[in-house]
Amino acid sequence: AYREDSTKRAFITITDDTGRPIAGAACTLDGSLTRASDSAGRVSFPVSAMPPGVHTIDVIATGYSPFRLTVVI
């Protein structure tokens, strides 16, 4: 799930295959900007780093195989 708020940050919720949030995941946007997901699986990136188009988020988390998400803005 993607949403943007008034702080000029884009929020994405990182979940597993069953929809459960993944806390503490290292999430790398477009191979360059890494942030950790919070206890609810949410990770935020500056909106300026996500202009309209296709973006990738590589996710690495304990207990999960690494995976890649595609986000279209």
Side-chain angles (χ1 to χ4, degrees):
Y2 168 89
R3 78 176 172 84
E4 184 180 319
D5 73 2
S6 62
T7 65
K8 302 295 183 192
R9 302 198 65 77
F11 291 85
I12 296 144
T13 302
I14 308 299
T15 60
D16 65 14
D17 291 339
T18 67
R20 292 177 44 176
I22 301 174
C27 305
T28 303
L29 175 66
D30 295 332
S32 63
L33 183 60
T34 302
R35 300 284 186 263
S37 61
D38 66 13
S39 61
R42 293 175 303 216
V43 62
S44 67
F45 296 101
V47 171
S48 61
M50 297 183 78
V54 178
H55 301 276
T56 60
I57 300 174
D58 292 310
V59 180
I60 298 173
T62 302
Y64 296 90
S65 295
F67 61 94
R68 174 174 281 181
L69 300 174
T70 300
V71 179
V72 180
I73 306 298

